[in-house]
Amino acid sequence: LGTARTHAQDNFDAAHPLYRLVAELAALRKAHPALHRGLQVTRRYTEDGPGLFAVSRFDPADGREYLVAFNTSTQPIAMQVTVETASLRFETLAGACAPAASAPGSLRVELPPLGFAVCRATGSAP
């Protein structure tokens, strides 16, 4: 995948963009327990073809929300995604995330073709 080389050749290339992406995602998953255990809520999906797939994961220790969004389309996507009403501010862990909810319970997600984002809530309502 991502190369013209065959399985008969040495394909271990730590400089390859796909290798670097997988390493980055593995480190992100290791650093954030919510990304590999805990409650998951499906926020948006497209039934009839490519589109936006988004889930919220919740940190088992503190309940903090992580929004993980994937654009399965070859076209850019921009739309609102439901989040917890207490999740008002977000930081980008991967991709690009809006810094704040558009309104309580709604975050605007903008993704390039076949792009993804991992957003972590950093602030909540008092």
Side-chain angles (χ1 to χ4, degrees), residues 6-23:
T6 71
H7 66 279
Q9 298 168 301
D10 178 11
N11 287 299
F12 184 80
D13 180 4
H16 192 281
L18 190 56
Y19 179 97
R20 290 194 316 258
L21 176 62
V22 170

Side-chain angles (χ1 to χ4, degrees), residues 2-3 51 71 81-83 108 110 117-118:
T3 182
N71 180 357
V81 173
T82 300
V83 293
R108 182 153 180 88
E110 297 183 21
V118 181

Side-chain angles (χ1 to χ4, degrees), residues 72-96:
T72 63
S73 165
T74 56
Q75 300 299 314
I77 285 182
M79 59 183 51
Q80 298 298 124
V81 173
T82 300
V83 293
E84 294 300 303
T85 56
S87 297
L88 297 177
R89 293 182 304 280
F90 289 85
E91 70 177 313
T92 299
L93 299 179

